[in-house]
Amino acid sequence: MERKDRPFDVIGQLAALRRYARALVRNSDEAEDLVHDALVRAFEKRKSFRSGGNLRTWLLSILHNAHIDRLRQKRSLTRRHDEAAVEAEQSLPAGQEHAVRLQQVRDAFFDLPEEQREALHLVAIEDLSYQEAANALGIPIGTLMSRISRARTQLREFEEKTPRASHLRLIGGNGHESS
């Protein structure tokens, strides 16, 4: 129930927002993040709320729109990664051993946590300075350096653990191979 002296009291709506968010994302942690994002948006746009309007409906609508925005962002990011992967595959016509190794390294890079992968990509591939990359990501330079360090450590561990193919041979070919 809303009190007349506090028409924008969202505390009473938290349970409904959390239930709806859990129904949308099916994960408690993501649901809490979604509710947080929706409440931040609602607070920023509180002047657009009509007094006398239904606060619950308005908040649920904001939560729904925040969820849709997250889905679009996730699809966009997936599409960009897929396009980048296609570009990477087309750019290096390597020998068979090198192609296998390149695929392994590429997979290890894409297995990095997103924040580490973004930081390492900007510095190592796009050749941005640490400061430029930190600005692009909107994070402090120390955070960027930490993410890059963790990413490089993971890739080094991958490199140490993954055996290199000394040679590859064709099995079950068409019988017309040359030695």
Side-chain angles (χ1 to χ4, degrees):
M1 274 195 335
E2 297 175 14
R3 295 177 9 199
K4 292 192 186 267
D5 59 334
R6 293 183 58 189
F8 197 74
D9 188 11
V10 298
I11 301 300
Q13 306 303 324
L14 284 177
L17 291 171
R18 286 182 176 137
R19 280 192 306 272
Y20 186 47
R22 274 194 300 272
L24 291 173
V25 297
R26 298 181 204 119
N27 176 297
S28 295
D29 293 333
E30 285 183 47
E32 285 299 318
D33 289 344
L34 185 58
V35 168
H36 176 266
D37 290 350
L39 289 176
V40 168
R41 286 184 188 185
F43 183 75
E44 289 171 348
K45 302 198 182 292
R46 67 188 177 279
K47 298 227 188 285
S48 70
F49 177 66
R50 296 183 328 266
S51 63
N54 187 327
L55 180 61
R56 181 179 177 168
T57 303
W58 187 70
L59 290 171
L60 289 172
S61 174
I62 290 173
L63 184 111
H64 177 78
N65 290 337
H67 174 65
I68 297 299
D69 290 347
R70 281 178 166 216
L71 290 177
R72 286 180 183 148
Q73 184 179 26
K74 193 179 291 185
R75 271 189 238 122
S76 175
L77 186 62
T78 300
R79 188 175 55 252
R80 282 183 296 194
H81 285 171
D82 290 346
E83 289 170 1
V86 168
E87 288 294 321
E89 290 171 1
Q90 293 175 352
S91 64
L92 292 174
Q96 192 172 14
E97 287 182 29
H98 291 95
V100 169
R101 188 64 183 164
L102 179 62
Q103 183 65 38
Q104 291 172 335
V105 171
R106 183 185 154 284
D107 290 345
F109 176 77
F110 281 117
D111 285 343
L112 291 172
E114 182 177 339
E115 59 189 19
Q116 292 176 19
R117 191 174 59 245
E118 291 171 343
L120 186 59
H121 178 90
L122 291 177
V123 171
I125 297 172
E126 299 302 328
D127 202 29
L128 295 182
S129 71
Y130 280 11
Q131 187 61 58
E132 291 170 329
N135 291 344
L137 294 173
I139 58 174
I141 194 168
T143 302
L144 175 89
M145 292 169 68
S146 175
R147 289 177 183 177
I148 290 172
S149 174
R150 287 193 308 267
R152 287 179 174 160
T153 298
Q154 274 189 270
L155 290 177
R156 251 190 310 284
E157 288 172 3
F158 161 78
E159 193 66 22
E160 291 168 1
K161 290 178 187 173
T162 307
R164 292 182 180 266
S166 60
H167 68 282
L168 300 175
R169 61 187 173 139
L170 183 64
I171 298 176
N174 61 9
H176 301 293
E177 298 82 26
S178 58
S179 299

